Amino acid sequence: MTIAQDALQLPHLNYGALAPMLILFGAAAVGVLIEAFVPRRSRYALQLVLGLGALVAALIVVITESGTRELTAGAAIALDGPALFLQGSLAALGIVALLLIAERTLEPGGPFVAAAAVTAGTEEDRTQAAREDAGTEVYPLLLFALGGMMLFVSANDLLTMFVALEVFSLPLYLMCGLARRRRLLSQESAMKYFLLGSFASAFFLFGIAMLYGFSGQISFAGIHSAIQTSTQSTTLLYIGLALVALGLLFKAAAAPFHVWIPDVYQGAPTPITAFMSACTKVAAFGALIRVLYVAFQGTDWDFRPVIGAIAVLTMLVGSILSVTQTDIKRLLAYSSIANAGYILVGVLGLSKDGLSSTLFYLVTYGFTVIAAFGVVTLVRDADGEATHLSRWAGLGRRSPLYAGLFTFLMLAFAGIPLTSGFTGKFAVFAAAIGGGQSWLVVFGVVSSMILAFPYLRVVVMMWLSEPGESTPTVSIPGALTSATLAIGGLATLVLGVVPAPLLDLTNHAAQFIR
Amino acid sequence: MSHSILAAAAGQMGTGEKVFFWIFGPLALIGAIGMVWARNAVHSALFLVLTMLSLGVFYVLQAGPFIGMVQIIVYTGAIMMLFLFVLMLVGRDSSDALIETLRGQRTAAILIGLGFAGLVCTAIARAMGSVSAKGLDAANQANGGNVQGIAALLFTKYVFAFEVTSALLITAAVGAMILAHVERRRENRLSQVDLMKARFAPGNYPGPKPGPGVYATSDSVATPALLPDGTFADRSVSKILPTRELSGAESAPKGTER
């Protein structure tokens, strides 16, 4: 062998700091083994305990490692303040989403299909829809996705980031297609998400090649130093930045890369929609801020107007189109697009405040949106969830408690004071003004006012209409959904009334290392 | 000694390289255009194979033997053959609907695609003038060769990404199982007694089905046998085969019945 053995040194791996990811991937692999070897009836309990245990353990490790600030694994992974904060929030939001996913009292067997391979609409499919068992593959897939997201927000070079992007995207594509009801819609959404997601991944990869052509490096520090020192044409840099940003903005659901959101959010099983709208957003924006703040710090003047225009377009498209929606899941999908715009406004603060306000907004929005989709899973009739808005008329008379909770969440989305939605919006707008981007804030406020209309329309419909013949019942949630709703609602309230501890935490965390 | 064969020296372009480029360049292009234009999915796949093979040759010519071989083995060898297998399973004849669901979508897509390609190509062409090559020679020699260099990167700098790829593979395998595997449930499994009862139940014929017709003019499996009264025996031809009926010329007396 000509290769010099002593020249190859395995890079130092800080196993303590990598432990959250390792725990999740390990637990996911164990989950796959459970699928293979454990009898069907005992899988559910085992998977749930394993998933919750792994996520709680990951959260605890992130908290104990919160002082870590180092590059590890050959500088491929940066465990700094934002990375650890985002990993912690991913674990916390993942726990809440897992509770919603594991709910089985609302309908026999829960929201997931028992055998996804059975052709939808056949006789066999109808018999399996009535049976009480359900597939449990979704739990290891969820853990894989969360592990990939944690790597995504802490990757320190573009190659690791791309691998992480694929690792968390693939389970998401699969989970979208596993709905028990309306299976064709669910499969269509999975297919759509897969095709468009593959396109976005290809653009991302193409962008990496361009950036490598410009700088000869794919690490963020290398790209940053090449931007400072390189004398060659910057054309490759801008093509690369545009394509990489396109890949990330697709995941973050910014216009004009948002077209998949309504269809996928509507078709996917509602607990998965909740998970995606909270955790995918955290992961995508976590990666976007790292790319913009760490690698492209020297090109603020070039990308700020472009991404600013995207932010404005995102806010306007999301808010205007949500006015016309008649389906509650699509309404929440468009609202999630508009919220991506608000987060972009915070990102474009391009300062420590911009970073900390973005982190804050991601957490507050995540808890609120999971709780909102949690309420959506409760409003049901014989055919499953009743998502058409007209069916929600008069729901306040039928079930004041859950209608009240949903009203509160809607007010939080609209940004009414004393909710976390207000503090989050206030923080990102303040950061943008601090960064000299007042024009974004003007559009943000205008679109918030437009967006308040659909939210309030739902509220008015629930409380001021008489319940009709077709008003569905609100199911009594089991312990797991109750816990989700309680955690989401409480987080929305507490972060609105006393946001200071979390703001301190984000301020403390808002420092990248390169 | 193998290096001198596999890895052409980087950075210099010999006559042989130019000749090969001008042979394989147009071939790759023809393959790419043919892939998009071919109506038949199998032709499309074979055109893609042509492009992939040409690209593999380019990589080898440009002193990247490893990626060239991987391109040929993985893409043309494994992925494209899998692709062809799927095409054959689905049915070679099942073609895409060529009806546009959105008016003018195809024209718009072609125009925008050409525009995007033109934009990217001109920008790259302008930018490439100032790009300084990183020195493939140095990279190839650092660890004693091209392949060794890739191995060194995989197991040092990108070791975590490399390991995490296994999560991707597990997910893909689990996904394939979820989407394709139907578990047979115990209560659906029929016992031998059940099978026999079903076999002799009214409405089922327990004996073998009649074979297809064998005639002087045709012994195809698609030709139905004739019953004593001269009608076709429906069960003699498999349901998935089109029934082949004798044409007038075939059934006309041949002058052999004396």
Side-chain angles (χ1 to χ4, degrees):
Chain A
M1 297 300 284
T2 52
I3 189 159
Q5 298 290 352
D6 53 332
L8 277 191
Q9 290 271 318
L10 189 69
H12 173 66
L13 292 168
N14 181 351
Y15 282 107
L18 293 175
M21 286 178 259
L22 298 178
I23 290 171
L24 290 189
F25 286 130
V30 173
V32 173
L33 291 179
I34 290 177
E35 286 300 306
F37 293 112
V38 173
R40 192 175 268 275
R41 61 183 180 285
S42 22
R43 281 182 204 163
Y44 167 68
L46 265 178
Q47 293 280 23
L48 179 57
V49 170
L50 177 72
L52 275 182
L55 283 170
V56 170
L59 185 58
I60 290 171
V61 176
V62 170
I63 292 169
T64 57
E65 288 285 335
S66 59
T68 309
R69 300 284 184 272
E70 70 169 68
L71 301 177
T72 189
I77 293 172
L79 290 160
D80 48 13
L84 287 166
F85 180 85
L86 289 168
Q87 288 188 344
S89 20
L90 280 170
L93 291 171
I95 292 171
V96 184
L98 177 62
L99 294 175
L100 196 58
I101 286 170
E103 177 65 68
R104 281 193 166 185
T105 58
L106 292 176
E107 67 178 310
F112 298 99
V113 68
V118 173
T119 313
T122 55
E123 186 58 41
E124 205 183 347
D125 186 34
R126 277 188 287 279
T127 54
Q128 82 158 354
R131 278 206 311 264
E132 288 221 353
D133 59 351
T136 42
E137 296 91 351
V138 66
Y139 300 97
L141 289 178
L142 181 84
L143 293 181
F144 272 128
L146 278 167
M149 288 172 181
M150 284 193 178
L151 180 61
F152 197 52
V153 296
S154 56
N156 196 36
D157 64 56
L158 287 166
L159 190 71
T160 309
M161 192 174 257
F162 177 72
V163 172
L165 174 72
E166 292 301 305
V167 167
F168 87 77
S169 297
L170 207 55
L172 283 180
Y173 302 147
L174 280 167
M175 288 192 285
C176 284
L178 296 182
R180 172 179 286 260
R181 311 259 187 174
R182 304 191 181 93
R183 288 190 56 207
L184 281 179
L185 207 61
S186 163
Q187 289 171 356
E188 183 197 332
S189 81
M191 192 70 198
K192 215 169 242 177
Y193 192 16
F194 172 65
L195 286 178
L196 291 175
S198 320
F199 265 108
S201 297
F203 278 117
F204 187 81
L205 204 54
F206 198 39
I208 295 177
M210 294 297 144
L211 290 176
Y212 182 73
F214 171 75
S215 62
Q217 309 255 14
I218 51 169
S219 69
F220 294 150
I223 292 170
H224 178 249
S225 69
I227 290 172
Q228 309 294 330
T229 58
S230 175
T231 52
Q232 68 182 47
S233 154
T234 48
T235 315
L236 285 181
L237 174 73
Y238 294 135
I239 301 178
L241 171 58
L243 293 173
V244 166
L246 193 160
L248 295 174
L249 288 172
F250 172 85
K251 282 285 169 207
F257 319 112
H258 68 281
V259 281
W260 59 279
I261 287 270
D263 291 350
V264 173
Y265 275 26
Q266 187 187 19
T270 309
I272 296 299
T273 313
F275 170 66
M276 282 198 297
S277 57
C279 292
T280 310
K281 248 196 183 56
V282 172
F285 276 103
L288 186 70
I289 45 180
R290 186 174 293 279
V291 168
L292 293 184
Y293 280 54
V294 178
F296 291 98
Q297 200 193 30
T299 55
D300 304 0
W301 284 101
D302 301 302
F303 70 71
R304 219 176 198 174
V306 181
I307 298 196
I310 289 178
V312 168
L313 187 66
T314 308
M315 289 186 285
L316 291 181
V317 164
S319 54
I320 292 172
L321 288 184
S322 66
V323 173
T324 63
Q325 298 309 311
T326 54
D327 184 290
I328 188 75
K329 281 174 90 175
R330 288 183 86 86
L331 194 154
L332 288 174
Y334 278 104
S335 123
S336 130
I337 294 170
N339 277 287
Y342 301 136
I343 304 174
L344 270 181
V345 170
V347 171
L348 287 173
L350 291 180
S351 58
K352 191 164 185 287
D353 282 345
L355 179 54
S356 68
S357 66
T358 307
L359 298 179
F360 182 79
Y361 199 108
L362 285 169
V363 173
T364 57
Y365 177 72
F367 279 113
T368 310
V369 80
I370 290 183
F373 278 112
V375 176
V376 172
T377 62
L378 295 181
V379 182
R380 326 177 63 92
D381 59 11
D383 293 330
E385 289 159 13
T387 53
H388 199 274
L389 269 187
S390 64
R391 310 285 306 277
W392 284 52
L395 215 59
R397 309 282 174 87
R398 284 273 169 89
S399 173
L401 176 63
Y402 296 108
L405 175 63
F406 199 70
T407 306
F408 176 63
L409 297 171
M410 285 287 125
L411 293 180
F413 279 140
I416 304 295
L418 292 184
T419 63
S420 66
F422 173 74
T423 38
K425 274 207 182 82
F426 186 81
V428 291
F429 289 166
I433 291 178
Q437 302 294 305
S438 311
W439 66 291
L440 291 175
V441 177
V442 172
F443 279 105
V445 171
V446 169
S447 73
S448 298
M449 286 193 288
I450 302 174
L451 200 54
F453 172 71
Y455 295 146
L456 294 180
R457 195 177 56 163
V458 178
V459 171
V460 167
M461 206 172 232
M462 282 196 303
W463 292 103
L464 298 184
S465 309
E466 289 293 324
E469 282 290 303
S470 69
T471 302
T473 55
V474 176
S475 306
I476 305 301
L480 295 173
T481 306
S482 306
T484 308
L485 297 180
I487 296 172
L490 270 181
T492 308
L493 180 65
V494 169
L495 294 178
V497 180
V498 271
L502 185 66
L503 279 173
D504 287 346
L505 191 61
T506 56
N507 268 323
H508 182 63
Q511 183 67 51
F512 281 114
I513 57 173
R514 189 172 277 127
Chain B
M1 46 125 205
S2 63
H3 295 296
S4 56
I5 303 167
L6 277 179
Q12 51 183 335
M13 212 196 297
T15 323
E17 189 174 341
K18 280 181 193 159
V19 170
F20 269 99
F21 176 79
W22 287 113
I23 293 173
F24 282 98
L27 279 181
L29 213 56
I30 290 171
I33 295 172
M35 184 211 132
V36 181
W37 263 354
R39 281 286 164 89
N40 189 323
V42 175
H43 294 174
S44 218
L46 290 176
F47 273 121
L48 190 57
V49 169
L50 179 68
T51 304
M52 298 275 191
L53 279 175
S54 312
L55 288 181
V57 173
F58 286 157
Y59 295 149
V60 176
L61 281 180
Q62 290 177 343
F66 180 73
I67 188 173
M69 287 303 152
V70 165
Q71 168 84 15
I72 291 173
I73 295 169
V74 175
Y75 275 90
T76 37
I79 294 180
M80 287 315 299
M81 288 312 116
L82 202 65
F83 204 82
L84 279 177
F85 261 86
V86 173
L87 278 182
M88 295 296 183
L89 283 178
V90 172
R92 182 173 67 73
D93 293 329
S94 59
S95 57
D96 297 331
L98 293 171
I99 303 157
E100 287 181 295
T101 44
L102 302 173
R103 267 174 73 92
Q105 186 196 19
R106 199 176 305 155
T107 325
I110 290 174
L111 284 179
I112 293 174
L114 283 178
F116 182 70
L119 205 66
V120 172
C121 289
T122 46
I124 292 176
R126 282 165 62 92
M128 287 314 276
S130 62
V131 168
S132 51
K134 283 292 283 182
L136 186 59
D137 267 340
N140 277 350
Q141 274 151 24
N143 287 292
N146 185 271
V147 182
Q148 287 88 333
I150 291 171
L153 277 180
L154 271 189
F155 291 105
T156 56
K157 207 171 168 187
Y158 301 113
V159 67
F160 200 79
F162 179 67
E163 296 291 342
V164 166
T165 317
S166 60
L168 199 56
L169 292 178
I170 298 175
T171 311
V174 171
M177 288 293 282
I178 293 175
L179 296 180
H181 176 68
V182 183
E183 207 169 325
R184 279 213 303 180
R185 301 172 58 82
R186 187 163 295 153
E187 62 261 29
N188 292 350
R189 220 171 282 166
L190 293 175
S191 67
Q192 198 264 343
V193 176
D194 295 330
L195 285 172
M196 278 304 118
K197 278 182 179 161
R199 186 174 173 196
F200 290 99
N204 195 40
Y205 183 69
K209 290 175 181 172
V214 178
Y215 308 104
T217 50
S218 165
D219 57 355
S220 156
V221 286
T223 311
L226 291 178
L227 292 172
D229 58 355
T231 54
F232 290 138
D234 288 336
R235 297 160 63 91
S236 66
V237 175
S238 168
K239 281 202 178 64
I240 61 167
L241 291 174
T243 310
R244 183 176 182 276
E245 295 185 7
L246 297 180
S247 63
E250 280 170 330
S251 59
K254 302 288 186 299
T256 52
E257 60 283 75
R258 233 173 300 165

